[in-house]
Amino acid sequence: MRTQHDRTAPPTSGSPQRGPAATAFSVLRRNRRALAGATGRVVGLAGLAGLLLTAAIFALAWPLFTHMRNERVRYHLMEDPYLHDHTDLTLVALLTLPLFLLILGTGSAALQSVCSRAVAAEPHGSTPRLRPVLAVYVLRGLIVWTLPLLVGYVADRLTGYHIDTEDQVLERGSWPYTLIEVSPVAAVFVAVLLRLALTLAPAAAAGGLGARAALRRSWALTRTRAGAVRVLVLALPLAAVTAGALRLVVQLALPLRPLVRDLVERGTGNFFAAYYAGILAPVIVGILVTAAVTLPVICTAFAVLQDRLRSPRSAGATVA
């Protein structure tokens, strides 16, 4: 069995350590050119792959768009309003979602590897650890989201409005019915706690550990009160900034919607394909711009925090 080496060495200097936030911004400033170049390449390649995948999905779903267009013409001739059913398109989107998550995960793994090397002051030409970091994302996703998805499915089967009165297993308004109905909320809360506990796993994998060892490392570091508080203090502002940046960029990119819609409709003659392409355009721009701005900061900050928490001197470090 191959021995795993953690490449991030603990600090040995006797001088007081700066806080994780100050250290992260120092790393970003010192390696700004290398990180900016890596971010540009990763986001550019991920965006290109995402656009090609979106175009392929639109091509596969073209019979659905054609059916919508024909139904719209038929209802127009009958002088009736046409409200198209997007259930099939939603199913296509759900089936192809893992492919988009794979693209996002691969890009995030590449940036995490680059940022962790910068924190460890390794040469920029060293080999990135994409596979362990990507494996961490997959395992963490299975650990975190299996429970809420399963609980949500069971709750919907037992309490959903699609159930006829005579087919009800639980009486509406009874306490078992209420408990099962609100159980997805509790499951999501548990998933959020697990996600926070495993937040440092990608940085640990990029630092030299295997996927399972990195998950165990993150769990061990965050199960203590000091580790949990530091992860929470760092994760909440970063999540808020990321969500705010995404919302802002999407809003600023909304003028792309009519431009893309008109362009696609002129090129294809299909209103519905143009309509959904217009909806997706600002979202794609928002995701790419937000990733380019926030991911280097997030990856660097958690790499610094993982290094700081695993160090015996972390108890005496100050929080910026």
Side-chain angles (χ1 to χ4, degrees), residues 6-11 120 307 310:
D6 194 346
R7 300 179 303 181
T8 309
D307 179 41
R310 79 178 186 86

Side-chain angles (χ1 to χ4, degrees), residues 187-248:
V188 169
F189 180 73
V190 173
V192 171
L193 293 180
L194 284 174
R195 176 64 177 78
L196 288 171
L198 302 177
T199 295
L200 303 177
L209 296 180
R212 288 181 294 179
L215 291 170
R216 289 194 295 267
R217 161 74 63 79
S218 181
W219 178 265
L221 293 178
T222 57
R223 65 185 299 178
T224 64
R225 179 179 298 181
V229 169
R230 290 192 179 190
V231 168
L232 196 63
V233 167
L234 186 61
L236 289 182
L238 288 176
V241 169
T242 302
L246 179 61
R247 177 66 183 273
L248 177 62

